[in-house]
Amino acid sequence: MTSMSRARVARRIAAGAAYGGGGIGIAGAALVGLLVAEAQMARRHVGNGTTNHVPNAEGLYGLSYETPGEPPLRLLMLGDSTAAGQGVHRAGQTPGALLASGLAAVAERPVQLRNVALPGARSDDLERQVRLALAGPGPVPDICVIMIGANDVTHRMPPTRSVRYLSAAVRRLRTAGAEVVVGTCPDLGTIEPVQQPLRWLARRASRQLAAAQTIGVVEQGGRTVSLGDLLGPEFAANPRELFGPDSYHPSAEGYATAAMAVLPTVCAALELWPAEEERPDVTRREGILPVAKAAAEAASEAGTEVAAARGPWAVLKRRRRRRVPEPAAPATPSV
């Protein structure tokens, strides 16, 4: 599918989400039965993780930067098992811990990490997660990172519904005063046990959803980062290295790859990234594009950021990946 075709599909999905449309199917009716049968076999083989247990990485990171009277930055993780960190055994290997540690190093300020993500969650769980995150008298998070979408595809949630739930979550968090970065649906076409034609259909569906998610998020004032690398070409080339033991969830190195892709955008949203990095670089094929076109391009290239510009335009950036600092131990013990 060409970039222009992806842009049109993404725009139709996003428009359906905004106006309550029924959605666009992943594939034609003749392929749905085959897709379901192959998905069930792949899910049985993979197991979708043998347990929902994830390490508890919540706590304070970057204690060495603590300054009396200056509160820590507050980082909130929302979404599914990838946001929670399912598939690794140590708290410091989860994406939340990696992002908190990296953010503390860039900001030279402690970061308080909270995680309300739920393994197996689909986008319709975001309402509950946002409500939980904003409940209570505590301050609103400075930055929220959402990773969601893979379970929407594997459970055939209509993409318009998926985008509608995500857009509503971003809108509520932005209205509350938080910055929002969304890691869009990863490329599911390279999960090791998945065979053709499911592999092709999964790739097509996940990229369409990622592009539509980008439009919905940007229109609500958030930023997106394409997470194709999370289960994408790099994972296909090194499945034993970048997948976890269940061949579905990322390994520690896989999560580090994802964190490195997201961290620059988190820093940019908090105005912590160098000013020279914020100007689009035409030599890197960056620039200001129509939102739908920027969304389609981002869905095809992992690590690509899309943020709102004026009106129907968006800024597309291919941020340089930087090494994520070694995670510091949280101040509060993990359980």
Side-chain angles (χ1 to χ4, degrees):
M1 184 180 290
T2 67
S3 177
M4 289 301 296
S5 297
R6 282 193 297 270
R8 285 195 296 270
V9 171
R11 173 53 73 185
R12 290 204 305 272
I13 293 171
Y19 297 107
I24 299 173
I26 291 176
L31 292 175
V32 170
L34 178 60
L35 177 61
V36 172
E38 292 233 12
Q40 289 172 341
M41 287 189 292
R43 192 175 294 126
R44 283 197 298 270
H45 182 83
V46 171
N48 198 14
T50 57
T51 174
N52 283 350
H53 171 74
V54 294
N56 181 2
E58 291 189 333
L60 191 65
Y61 291 77
L63 278 172
S64 61
Y65 300 113
E66 195 168 21
T67 301
E70 184 177 21
L73 290 170
R74 295 171 296 276
L75 167 63
L76 174 70
M77 300 292 294
L78 308 94
D80 57 23
S81 57
T82 54
Q86 185 174 356
V88 295
H89 300 290
R90 291 165 42 199
Q93 297 171 330
T94 62
L98 291 165
L99 287 171
S101 181
L103 178 58
V106 173
E108 297 186 343
R109 184 174 168 186
V111 174
Q112 184 72 45
L113 172 65
R114 186 182 179 199
N115 198 322
V116 297
L118 178 69
R122 287 167 272 179
S123 293
D124 54 1
D125 190 57
L126 287 175
E127 180 181 1
R128 181 194 63 82
Q129 294 184 28
V130 171
R131 185 170 62 249
L132 179 63
L134 298 181
V140 173
D142 295 292
I143 183 77
C144 300
V145 175
I146 304 173
M147 297 180 178
I148 200 80
N151 295 315
D152 296 20
V153 173
T154 60
H155 290 79
R156 296 187 298 144
M157 176 182 285
T160 50
R161 284 185 59 207
S162 178
V163 173
R164 192 179 307 135
Y165 288 124
L166 176 60
S167 298
V170 173
R171 179 169 59 250
R172 188 171 176 191
L173 292 169
R174 292 289 293 132
T175 299
E179 297 292 337
V180 180
V181 173
V182 174
T184 56
C185 182
D187 183 350
L188 299 179
T190 51
I191 298 175
E192 195 177 33
V194 176
Q195 303 300 318
Q196 298 290 11
L198 179 59
R199 184 183 295 269
W200 179 83
L201 292 170
R203 168 165 290 156
R204 180 185 175 205
S206 53
R207 288 188 176 184
Q208 285 180 355
L209 179 56
Q213 286 177 319
T214 294
I215 295 173
V217 169
V218 168
E219 288 180 345
Q220 299 302 326
R223 301 179 185 225
T224 63
V225 180
S226 168
L227 288 186
D229 266 1
L230 192 59
L231 294 169
E234 189 173 358
F235 282 59
N238 302 285
R240 298 304 178 194
E241 181 180 354
L242 292 174
F243 277 118
D246 61 6
S247 299
Y248 185 88
H249 292 99
S251 64
E253 187 164 347
Y255 279 129
T257 299
M260 282 190 288
V262 174
L263 179 59
T265 300
V266 167
C267 294
L270 293 171
E271 299 183 347
L272 296 171
W273 215 236
E276 60 270 18
E277 287 279 337
E278 295 309 291
R279 291 189 293 270
D281 184 349
V282 294
T283 65
R284 293 172 56 82
R285 295 178 293 119
E286 298 179 344
I288 298 176
L289 303 170
V291 175
K293 182 171 176 53
E297 288 202 20
S300 300
E301 184 174 338
T304 304
E305 174 191 316
V306 180
R310 292 184 179 179
W313 302 88
V315 179
L316 182 144
K317 293 188 65 62
R318 295 175 169 88
R319 294 192 180 276
R320 296 175 180 87
R321 292 184 178 179
R322 301 192 177 187
R323 189 175 185 84
V324 178
E326 288 295 322
T332 55
S334 297
V335 291

